Amino acid sequence: MFWIFLKGFSVSLGLIVAIGAQNAFVLKQGVKRQHVFWLCLVCALSDSILIALGIYGFATIITLYPQALRFAQYFGAAFLLWYAFIHLRQALQTQKIQPLELQSTPALTQSILICLGLTWLNPHVYLDTVVLIGSISAQFSQGKLYFALGAMTASWLFFFSLGYAARLMAPWFQSAKAWRILDVLIAIIMTLIAISLLRIQF
């Protein structure tokens, strides 16, 4: 059964590693060392729930009733564009950016809500994590649990590695220019993802 575990691990890791809205948010918060543990926990738990739903039947429901994703498609795109605008505005601000240790820390609740929005309002999450992983797991009728554990393990390992390894990049972000570049990149990523969401045909 170990190879089924590895199959789930590799499939999940391959999907998560791609740069997306959720990963970009965790990366930035990791660099700023703000609520890293809780945000990684929220991401990993959310992913585990979605993986379980996909493997144990929810993928079939989404396939049969794709209109259920319409709300997430449009609201998610609007949310991503708003988030992109926030980062672009930050990048264009002319005042001197404070060093990391002096930057204000947003409330934990606010950070978690943003993280949940970037996770659960993104239809790509359902198509990749629920539908794709759920479909692949169907070939392991006697080993779904091991496949699920492998996929979830990859998710937990990735998010906590991303969140805590990001702090190693902190020395690079002691200048205003570095923060502006990061904000512009995040704004571009969010905008491209929003556009791709609007192009999905269900």
Side-chain angles (χ1 to χ4, degrees), residues 13-21 23 158:
L13 190 62
L15 293 173
I16 297 172
V17 167
I19 295 297
N23 295 352
F158 173 78

Side-chain angles (χ1 to χ4, degrees), residues 1 24 39 175:
M1 294 296 181
L39 295 177
S175 68

Side-chain angles (χ1 to χ4, degrees), residues 2 31 43 76 94 107 112 130 134 138 155 159 171 173-174 180-181 196:
F2 183 65
V31 170
C43 289
T94 56
I112 288 178
V130 178
S155 178
F159 283 116
F173 289 93
Q174 294 298 333
R180 290 192 178 99
I181 291 174
S196 70

Side-chain angles (χ1 to χ4, degrees), residues 3 7-8 10-11 21 34-35 53 65 67 71 84 97 104 115-116 123 127 133 140 147 190:
W3 75 272
K7 180 69 174 181
S10 60
V11 169
Q34 295 178 347
H35 312 306
L53 290 174
Y65 303 101
Q67 62 270 25
F71 173 80
I97 296 179
S104 60
C115 188
L116 288 172
L127 294 174
I133 290 182
F140 305 112
F147 186 88
M190 299 299 173

Side-chain angles (χ1 to χ4, degrees), residues 73-163:
Q73 180 183 22
Y74 293 112
F75 195 84
F79 182 83
L80 290 171
L81 289 173
W82 169 80
Y83 197 66
F85 169 76
I86 295 298
H87 279 278
L88 186 60
R89 186 178 63 181
Q90 291 176 352
L92 296 176
Q93 287 177 344
T94 56
Q95 65 265 31
K96 181 178 177 60
I97 296 179
Q98 295 178 319
L100 283 174
E101 62 272 13
L102 297 180
Q103 291 188 21
S104 60
T105 302
L108 175 60
T109 302
Q110 177 185 353
S111 296
I112 288 178
L113 288 175
I114 292 175
C115 188
L116 288 172
L118 294 173
T119 302
W120 291 90
L121 293 178
N122 184 357
H124 280 307
V125 171
Y126 299 95
L127 294 174
D128 291 344
T129 308
V130 178
V131 176
L132 184 56
I133 290 182
S135 300
I136 294 174
S137 70
Q139 63 185 288
F140 305 112
S141 57
Q142 302 300 320
K144 283 189 176 182
L145 177 60
Y146 296 96
F147 186 88
L149 290 175
M152 293 176 186
T153 299
S155 178
W156 284 75
L157 180 64
F158 173 78
F159 283 116
F160 277 92
S161 297
L162 178 65

Side-chain angles (χ1 to χ4, degrees), residues 180-194:
R180 290 192 178 99
I181 291 174
L182 180 62
D183 280 324
V184 168
L185 288 176
I186 291 177
I188 292 173
I189 291 172
M190 299 299 173
T191 302
L192 291 176
I193 294 175

